[in-house]
Amino acid sequence: MSYLLSKYTPPDTQGCVQRITPETANWHFVGFSAYQLQSGQSVVGKGDTNEVCVVVIAGTATVRTDTDSFDKIGDRNSPFEKRDGTYIKPYSVYIPGAMDFTITGDTDCEIGVCKAPDMSLTGENNRLVSRLIPPDEVGAETRGRGRNVRRVHNILPEWEPAQSLLVVEVFTEQGNTSSYPSHKHDQDNLPHESLLEETYYHRLNPAQGFCMQRVYTDDRTLDECMAVHDKDVVMVPKGYHPVATVAGYDNYYLNVMAGPTKIWKFHTQPDHSWINTESYV
């Protein structure tokens, strides 16, 4: 099994099913945990040097910080749920570093906890406050053409207040590709390319399905191809990282990105740059 693939494990006593840290991933910026909380179950987060984005992936939860309480947030029973033919957007909460927080399930719920360094704690940036990110503040867009179409929810894009975190969720229907044409963001070389580590928290519908993800560099010193199942995490320390679905199974993933600058500037692999142009249908 690839060292870039973190397999789903049953919930521990805190409801945690995934925990990625800079130490376990052998990188510097991104942390990600996923929780399956039962109704009434709580998980406590201690404020540290990281800012946090709590994403209510499914169900309803209450998020309390040192300064605020965001009660009974969440508007979908599954990330794949649609309303009027459109994927329902999530509720999320931004929490600055050095602030304790508690997440309590108001129903059985699925929670993503995204982390990255809070630069304000070193005096580099202005301090931010905790805030709710409701669905009407989440931008939605369709990217790609033909069999490369996917739907994107911009939860915490680069133009919204945060120190390091970039958070999006992406829906790719059966038979389509995503994070494609193959692109990378592993060079601190602005304005041409930014350095961003990235995690993919995958969901499949129906849940017994799988998708494929490849992570590779130009020189192929890194070249990993993974069969990814429901609630697995793929870590992308560098290189290109396309996703492909298979017939019968739709794919959702929650992306967390972070690096030395909060800018998403990627480089497309030249061989595949013609995808999404008028030459491709």
Side-chain angles (χ1 to χ4, degrees):
M1 184 179 75
S2 173
Y3 69 99
L4 299 179
L5 181 62
S6 175
K7 298 295 293 180
Y8 165 81
T9 59
D12 64 14
T13 56
Q14 288 192 311
C16 187
V17 300
Q18 288 281 2
R19 181 176 284 113
I20 308 296
T21 69
E23 291 75 24
T24 62
N26 193 30
W27 58 28
H28 303 286
F29 299 99
V30 170
F32 174 76
S33 297
Y35 294 86
Q36 291 176 217
L37 299 181
Q38 297 177 354
S39 179
Q41 185 178 10
S42 294
V43 59
V44 176
K46 300 298 291 181
D48 56 21
T49 59
N50 293 305
E51 62 183 353
V52 175
C53 182
V54 175
V55 181
V56 182
I57 299 170
T60 302
T62 292
V63 181
R64 294 186 175 89
T65 72
D66 293 341
T67 57
D68 297 284
S69 182
F70 306 101
D71 299 331
K72 297 182 178 180
I73 58 173
D75 190 33
R76 59 191 189 189
N77 296 315
S78 159
F80 297 100
E81 186 175 352
K82 294 181 178 180
R83 183 174 295 133
D84 299 325
T86 302
Y87 288 110
I88 298 172
K89 298 176 186 178
Y91 280 82
S92 304
V93 173
Y94 173 83
I95 305 168
M99 184 173 287
D100 296 346
F101 61 93
T102 302
I103 307 166
T104 302
D106 296 301
T107 66
D108 291 354
C109 59
E110 182 177 1
I111 305 293
V113 177
C114 318
K115 293 186 175 184
D118 185 337
M119 303 301 185
S120 72
L121 299 178
T122 61
E124 295 183 36
N125 295 319
N126 293 328
R127 179 80 169 160
L128 298 174
V129 299
S130 60
R131 71 182 189 275
L132 180 68
I133 306 173
D136 61 5
E137 294 182 10
V138 175
E141 59 180 311
T142 299
R143 296 179 187 164
R145 299 166 62 92
R147 306 308 301 179
N148 191 42
V149 169
R150 62 274 199 198
R151 186 69 171 170
V152 179
H153 289 163
N154 291 307
I155 298 168
L156 199 56
E158 61 183 271
W159 54 86
E160 293 294 339
Q163 305 290 348
S164 302
L165 274 172
L166 297 160
V167 181
V168 301
E169 59 180 19
V170 180
F171 303 82
T172 310
E173 298 189 347
Q174 59 169 315
N176 284 6
T177 51
S178 190
S179 291
Y180 189 72
S182 298
H183 69 268
K184 70 181 184 75
H185 36 73
D186 58 14
Q187 300 296 314
D188 191 4
N189 184 33
L190 289 170
H192 306 290
E193 186 177 349
S194 56
L195 193 163
L196 296 169
E197 302 161 353
E198 186 169 16
T199 55
Y200 280 67
Y201 174 63
H202 285 274
R203 294 294 314 279
L204 278 298
N205 185 36
Q208 73 270 21
F210 68 95
C211 65
M212 306 298 295
Q213 185 159 17
R214 184 184 179 196
V215 180
Y216 64 101
T217 55
D218 285 308
D219 62 7
R220 304 302 192 269
T221 55
L222 173 62
D223 195 350
E224 300 282 324
C225 191
M226 292 155 275
V228 183
H229 292 82
D230 195 44
K231 300 177 184 174
D232 289 350
V233 171
V234 172
M235 293 167 281
V236 183
K238 61 181 179 179
Y240 307 101
H241 40 276
V243 175
T245 66
V246 298
Y249 298 99
D250 296 335
N251 173 243
Y252 161 97
Y253 52 78
L254 178 65
N255 275 147
V256 185
M257 292 183 283
T261 54
K262 186 175 168 283
I263 298 174
W264 183 50
K265 186 70 174 180
F266 59 85
H267 168 76
T268 301
Q269 188 178 10
D271 287 350
H272 309 306
S273 61
W274 62 277
I275 304 295
N276 289 345
T277 69
E278 295 297 329
S279 300
Y280 175 74
V281 178

